[in-house]
């Protein structure tokens, strides 16, 4: 059965949001962090999360629930590299729940109009979205750079060198990422998400400052936060260039396969690098987060007071649930 035009538009809009999830998500399992969603924000503490979304009529709906740290559910996630995979896996899972909740909140508001049919994002639609997003990611960031650099190698013999080949591959990948991100930022709906992203960062800064969390105080903080997922993605791209240079394969097929197979290892190693640098807060940390802060000038935008209020609503919801569980509130 063919999808209607509106259904196709919803599908690709949601796919765009899923592609941006690693950029918008921030925080690790011991810290307070969050993620911008459609007309709202998800905030999480070590053992709880809350999503707050503003509907078109101005009303606010929320969803909150307790969570466990990955290292508390499975002992294996206490070990280096694997703990990064557990934390990132949970972040993506929570991010998908929050994104689905926010999308359904907007669809419910649309369905309230006379003559409209109720529409919800089903489990099968989410599964299809995730599959499409993964394939799109592999195509755009693994296949396309490899094809382009392989073609360039026919004209530049220096690219026969494995280190130079993978360096060029990494540069092309970063360029594609920047172009893709800049293009998405010009869309009105995505620009709104980036405003909520800015609101989330300001409110997290406000919380970390130990000052009263309110709109007036949050407004004074920066939208550029060093723990943003944007910094993590850039570290992933740098680490991947190093790892790929160590892989001895020369054929196109084996190079492509290795880029897919090594993704979990690269993600886990990148998490450890970020974690190591963050715990020292010296020149290494400053050097690593600076490119991410530059890029956040695209992925975060100045929020309105209403958007700050939504972010504060989500934070208070997560904090209230955390306190009810006698949870540990950690200031970064």
């Amino acid at each position: 059965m063919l999808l209607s035009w509106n259904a196709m538009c919803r599908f690709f809009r949601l796919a765009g949001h899923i592609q941006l999830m690693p950029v918008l998500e921030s925080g690790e399992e011991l810290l307070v962090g969050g993620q911008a969603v459609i007309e709202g924000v998800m905030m999480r503490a070590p053992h709880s999360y809350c999503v707050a979304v503003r509907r078109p009529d101005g009303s606010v709906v929320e969803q909150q629930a307790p969570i466990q740290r990955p290292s508390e559910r499975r002992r294996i996630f206490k070990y280096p590299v694997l703990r990064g995979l557990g934390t990132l896996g949970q972040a993506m899972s929570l991010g998908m729940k929050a994104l689905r909740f926010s999308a359904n909140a907007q669809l419910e508001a649309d369905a309230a109009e006379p003559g409209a049919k109720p529409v919800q994002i089903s489990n099968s639609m989410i599964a299809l979205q995730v599959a499409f997003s993964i394939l799109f990611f592999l195509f755009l960031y693994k296949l396309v750079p490899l094809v382009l650099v392989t073609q360039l190698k026919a004209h530049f013999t220096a690219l026969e060198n494995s280190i130079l080949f993978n360096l060029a591959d990494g540069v092309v990948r970063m360029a594609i990422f920047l172009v893709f991100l800049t293009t998405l930022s010009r869309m009105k709906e995505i620009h709104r998400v980036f405003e909520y992203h800015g609101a989330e960062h300001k409110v997290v800064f406000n919380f970390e400052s130990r000052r009263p969390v309110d709109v007036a105080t949050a407004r004074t903080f920066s939208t550029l936060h060093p723990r943003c997922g944007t910094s993590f993605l850039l570290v992933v791209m740098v680490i991947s260039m190093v790892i790929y240079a160590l892989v001895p394969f020369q054929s196109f097929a084996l190079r492509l396969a290795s880029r897919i197979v090594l993704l979990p290892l690269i993600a886990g190693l990148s998490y450890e690098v970020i974690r190591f640098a963050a715990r020292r807060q010296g020149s290494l940390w400053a050097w690593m987060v600076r490119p991410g802060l530059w890029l956040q000038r695209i992925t975060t935008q100045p929020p309105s007071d209403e958007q700050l209020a939504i972010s504060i609503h989500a934070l208070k919801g997560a904090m209230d649930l955390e306190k009810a569980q006698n949870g540990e509130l950690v200031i970064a």
Side-chain angles (χ1 to χ4, degrees):
M1 181 178 178
L2 295 178
L3 293 174
S4 68
W5 173 252
N6 286 338
M8 290 179 63
C9 288
R10 284 197 300 271
F11 180 90
F12 287 109
R13 281 202 301 269
L14 192 55
H17 284 281
I18 293 174
Q19 288 294 319
L20 287 173
M21 275 177 51
V23 174
L24 300 174
E25 211 284 332
S26 62
E28 45 182 293
E29 69 171 9
L30 291 175
L31 303 174
V32 170
Q35 176 185 314
V37 293
I38 302 171
E39 292 301 322
V41 171
M42 181 268 286
M43 285 288 193
R44 59 162 296 176
H47 296 96
S48 60
Y49 79 94
C50 178
V51 192
V53 176
R54 190 180 298 280
R55 287 172 164 168
D57 63 3
S59 62
V60 177
V61 291
E62 69 171 49
Q63 179 188 71
Q64 60 177 187
I67 55 175
Q68 281 186 299
R69 299 171 184 165
S71 57
E72 293 170 340
R73 294 200 314 268
R74 298 284 187 274
R75 183 177 178 81
I76 192 173
F77 292 129
K78 293 180 179 288
Y79 299 106
V81 180
L82 294 175
R83 64 188 166 198
L85 293 179
T87 300
L88 295 170
Q90 184 186 65
M92 294 301 289
S93 176
L94 283 179
M96 283 301 305
K97 288 180 181 178
L99 182 58
R100 181 181 181 181
F101 176 77
S102 67
N104 280 334
Q106 303 307 311
L107 291 174
E108 287 170 5
D110 293 341
E113 297 179 2
K117 295 181 180 179
V119 180
Q120 288 278 300
I121 305 295
S122 64
N123 290 334
S124 59
M125 179 62 76
I126 285 291
L128 186 60
Q129 288 281 352
V130 171
F132 174 81
S133 297
I134 291 173
L135 290 175
F136 182 78
F137 169 84
L138 294 176
F139 170 78
L140 192 62
Y141 296 114
K142 301 301 174 184
L143 179 62
V144 172
L146 189 58
V147 168
L148 291 176
V149 178
T150 301
Q151 293 296 319
L152 286 174
K153 188 174 72 169
H155 303 283
F156 300 96
T157 56
L159 293 178
E160 295 288 347
N161 180 284
S162 178
I163 294 176
L164 292 178
F165 182 95
N166 287 290
L167 178 62
D169 177 74
V171 170
V172 170
R173 187 179 302 109
M174 287 184 181
I176 291 173
F177 174 64
L178 289 173
V179 170
F180 180 69
L181 201 58
T182 303
T183 301
L184 281 182
S185 70
R186 297 182 183 279
M187 297 171 58
K188 182 179 179 181
E189 183 176 335
I190 299 300
H191 193 273
R192 290 279 296 171
V193 173
F194 288 168
E195 289 174 353
Y196 278 104
H197 192 198
E200 178 244 315
H201 282 187
K202 281 177 175 281
V203 171
V204 169
F205 265 133
N206 188 172
F207 172 78
E208 292 171 341
S209 74
R210 300 178 186 269
R211 294 166 60 186
V213 180
D214 54 52
V215 170
T217 307
R219 196 190 301 132
T220 65
F221 289 94
S222 171
T223 62
L224 312 181
H225 199 289
R227 285 205 320 275
C228 180
T230 308
S231 299
F232 174 76
L233 274 184
L234 292 177
V235 172
V236 166
M237 291 184 181
V238 172
I239 296 292
S240 66
M241 286 191 282
V242 176
I243 298 297
Y244 295 158
L246 299 176
V247 176
F249 302 136
Q250 297 297 319
S251 74
F252 180 89
L254 289 177
R255 274 178 164 156
L256 179 60
S258 67
R259 278 154 169 70
I260 297 172
V261 171
L262 290 171
L263 269 174
L265 174 63
I266 291 168
L269 287 174
S270 299
Y271 177 87
E272 293 301 324
V273 169
I274 288 281
R275 192 172 186 268
F276 175 84
R279 275 155 177 71
R280 278 142 186 87
Q281 293 290 327
S283 57
L284 175 61
W285 173 245
W287 175 82
M288 288 181 60
V289 302
R290 190 173 294 117
L293 294 177
W294 294 337
L295 196 54
Q296 284 178 51
R297 296 187 183 279
I298 299 175
T299 64
T300 64
Q301 297 296 323
S304 66
D305 286 356
E306 284 190 346
Q307 290 167 325
L308 287 171
I310 286 291
S311 190
I312 292 171
H313 186 118
L315 177 65
K316 288 183 175 178
M319 292 298 99
D320 289 345
L321 185 55
E322 190 75 16
K323 289 175 184 176
Q325 302 176 91
N326 297 315
E328 175 187 10
L329 302 183
V330 180
I331 305 294

